[in-house]
Amino acid sequence: MTGAPEALGRRTSAWVLLLHTVTFRQARALVPAVLALGITRGLGDGLGTVVALVVGITVLSLLGAAISWWRFSYTDGESAIVVTRGLLSRSARTVPNDRIRGVEVEAPVLHRLLGLVRVRIDAAAGSVTSEEELVIDGVTRAEGDRLRHRLLTHAAAQDAGEGGRHAAADPEEELLRFDYRWLVYAPLVGSYLAVPLAAGGALLRAAEELPDQFVPEFWSPDVSDTRIVVRLVVSGLLLLILGSIIGSALVNWRFRLLRRGGALVAVRGLVTRRHTELDIDRIRGCTISEGLGMRLVGAARVSALVTGLGDAARRGQVLPLGPAELARALSVELVDHPGPLHRHPPAARRRSIARGTVPGLLVAAAGGVLTAMTGWWPLLAAGGALVLLGIPLGLARYTALGHVAGPRSFAIRSGWLVRSHTVLQDRAVVGWEVRQSLAQRRAGLVTVLACVGAGSGGYTARDMAADEAAEFAQAASGSWAGTLTPYH
């Protein structure tokens, strides 16, 4: 297994040496020490030392990149791909083609300048190092396209010069294209809001590391003036909203979802262009996610659930943001529509309200004791407010619950802050688990977990009627689940 890659293995482009040297990939850990030394020595006497250290680190980075490139090779054989790396400690990882779940071709800015791409191969190969993907960094676009097509279709090997013509032979069907009007939904998505917050935090940390003479004096507002505080808050919110929209636009720039032969292809990105391809035969379901704010404006996101796919939240995303109606239509297109959801019994509503109000009741009880002893009542008032808020919270959690089993698929819905509606094919289920707490036993309820080999690995129907569990499992996955022990 280790000899073949040496003789027959392909190498990445030699331009990757320049790429890894410019980004200090091999000596990145030494860069902070150089910057710290430069700051402490100043830009006068220590300038020559800093330049010498930077040159030394660049040389070390180039040397490390050259060794890594020289000792890295990959072989895409008839039945498996082999990646070999390492100088002193050699490793050769072999992944059968039928264990490959998806291929993503990335083209960051520096890669595009050099005409290179990075290929990420999701492989459910049971690595003891918990690595679910292989990364081949620094191949040409034509070679990346050839690898993507070959690994997903298991086609026969062809000459490397034919590179980019494989994918063009397959007809394309465009399922959807990102509408830039959907960017107005971005401020309602937590991951997009995190982009400007992270950028602002990074700028503040960088400013703190600089000497005082290099940090300009900023205007210090008078926080005692209410009008100034209001303006600052409004300006901060506007910047947060604008940053989330810009972040969403950069990530989803020219997003397209295509069906090409037996693959589902998602293309997106402005700064880093990503081309993700998933094997349709391995898609076992999809999840429609709707945050609280997104539900208010009728927006949603869709992720495909693919067996063995790593980082499914990003790589399996087939609709990054869009109208909820389009999300449901795409779910039907990719998987199925098992039918309208069944509501959970009234006992589930009572239990949900109880769970929402118990924290407030505990705070109110502690506040009552404190009020009787000291006369301090704010804690009692806070407990009462929490109880009042817990009632609509419990009702909202109950309203989100639902399940249904159709002829070829089943659906489970749950969640209040982020509502997830998951549709799964019946063949996706590898097992069932039924849980019942003491409180659920008294109420005649159970929690049913569908164990699947895709997505998060398990999807839960909480507070289902106990006498419906076995029937639901059998209808959702077949007669073998009829042996599920009934709970009463």
Side-chain angles (χ1 to χ4, degrees):
M1 182 179 67
T2 58
E6 297 293 334
L8 303 176
R10 299 173 182 264
R11 293 193 184 278
T12 55
S13 171
W15 284 109
V16 78
L17 299 178
L18 176 61
L19 180 67
H20 290 174
T21 301
V22 169
T23 58
F24 290 108
R25 179 171 177 176
Q26 305 299 327
R28 197 171 296 169
L30 301 177
V31 174
V34 173
L35 294 178
L37 180 60
I39 292 174
T40 55
R41 294 290 301 272
L43 298 180
D45 297 338
L47 182 59
T49 302
V50 172
V51 171
L53 288 174
V54 171
V55 171
I57 289 177
T58 302
V59 172
L60 289 176
S61 182
L62 178 60
L63 180 61
I67 294 175
S68 297
W69 173 79
W70 173 49
R71 302 304 289 170
F72 181 93
S73 64
Y74 65 95
T75 303
D76 51 312
E78 294 294 333
S79 58
I81 181 169
V82 182
V83 173
T84 307
R85 57 164 60 90
L87 177 62
L88 299 178
S89 177
R90 297 286 287 162
S91 69
R93 185 176 176 191
T94 303
V95 177
N97 287 340
D98 59 3
R99 301 295 290 172
I100 293 174
R101 302 309 185 223
V103 178
E104 181 177 70
V105 179
E106 294 179 341
V109 175
L110 292 178
H111 284 67
R112 292 208 297 271
L113 291 176
L114 299 174
L116 304 178
V117 296
R118 180 189 300 131
V119 181
R120 297 185 182 273
I121 305 167
D122 281 290
S127 171
V128 295
T129 59
S130 300
E131 296 178 355
E132 294 182 339
E133 66 178 16
L134 301 175
V135 179
I136 301 176
D137 192 6
V139 296
T140 63
R141 163 61 69 177
E143 174 64 7
D145 290 340
R146 186 194 69 82
L147 272 175
R148 184 189 70 244
H149 182 271
R150 176 176 171 80
L151 294 176
L152 286 177
T153 61
H154 308 157
Q158 298 187 26
D159 185 77
E162 299 177 3
R165 296 199 295 270
H166 295 290
D170 292 328
E172 290 185 351
E173 176 190 358
E174 184 174 277
L175 299 181
L176 65 88
R177 181 188 296 264
F178 190 82
D179 190 332
Y180 294 110
R181 291 176 295 181
W182 301 343
L183 291 174
V184 298
Y185 301 140
L188 303 175
V189 182
S191 58
Y192 294 138
L193 283 175
V195 173
L197 291 175
L203 289 176
L204 290 176
R205 288 195 299 271
E208 291 176 355
E209 297 295 332
L210 292 175
D212 294 338
Q213 61 267 29
F214 297 108
V215 180
E217 286 290 336
F218 292 101
W219 168 62
S220 299
D222 182 9
V223 294
S224 62
D225 191 336
T226 305
R227 291 175 300 177
I228 293 179
V229 173
V230 171
R231 291 171 184 171
L232 288 175
V233 171
V234 172
S235 300
L237 289 176
L238 290 177
L239 288 175
L240 190 62
I241 291 172
L242 181 62
S244 65
I245 293 175
I246 293 175
S248 176
L250 292 176
V251 173
N252 302 313
W253 185 260
R254 295 173 57 194
F255 176 89
R256 297 172 66 209
L257 183 66
L258 311 170
R259 182 188 283 117
R260 181 186 296 156
L264 198 65
V265 182
V267 185
R268 77 186 80 193
L270 179 61
V271 178
T272 298
R273 193 69 179 161
R274 288 190 171 91
H275 185 125
T276 306
E277 193 159 341
L278 306 172
D279 192 340
I280 292 179
D281 289 340
R282 294 192 173 98
I283 294 178
R284 295 293 180 263
C286 64
T287 295
I288 303 174
S289 301
E290 302 169 275
L292 180 59
M294 298 170 68
R295 294 200 299 273
L296 296 177
V297 297
R301 312 171 81 178
V302 181
S303 296
L305 306 178
V306 184
T307 55
L309 179 65
D311 194 11
R314 178 178 67 85
R315 216 162 290 161
Q317 199 172 86
V318 292
L319 177 61
L321 192 60
E325 295 82 3
L326 179 61
R328 287 188 282 269
L330 182 60
S331 172
V332 174
E333 175 76 17
L334 296 179
V335 188
D336 191 20
H337 180 56
L341 295 174
H342 299 160
R343 298 181 68 88
H344 288 204
R349 180 174 60 243
R350 294 192 296 269
R351 185 167 186 267
S352 183
I353 294 175
R355 292 170 61 200
T357 55
V358 162
L361 290 173
L362 293 176
V363 173
V369 173
L370 191 62
T371 302
M373 295 176 60
T374 65
W376 196 73
W377 55 267
L379 186 61
L380 177 61
L386 288 176
V387 171
L388 294 178
L389 290 175
I391 295 175
L393 175 61
L395 290 174
R397 286 174 173 170
Y398 168 75
T399 304
L401 298 177
H403 66 279
V404 65
R408 296 181 302 275
S409 63
F410 65 98
I412 295 174
R413 190 180 69 184
S414 63
W416 169 72
L417 191 59
V418 177
R419 179 178 295 177
S420 297
H421 183 108
T422 301
V423 182
L424 290 162
Q425 298 174 351
D426 52 6
R427 61 174 178 164
V429 179
V430 297
W432 291 95
E433 182 178 345
V434 179
R435 303 168 183 168
Q436 188 178 52
S437 65
L438 180 60
Q440 285 179 315
R441 190 177 308 166
R442 293 173 61 87
L445 303 174
V446 294
T447 295
V448 179
L449 175 67
C451 304
V452 301
S456 63
Y459 296 88
T460 302
R462 185 186 300 275
D463 290 342
M464 181 189 298
D467 54 2
E468 294 180 5
E471 181 182 355
F472 170 72
Q474 184 173 0
S477 59
S479 58
W480 64 269
T483 57
L484 191 68
T485 303
Y487 279 69
H488 301 287

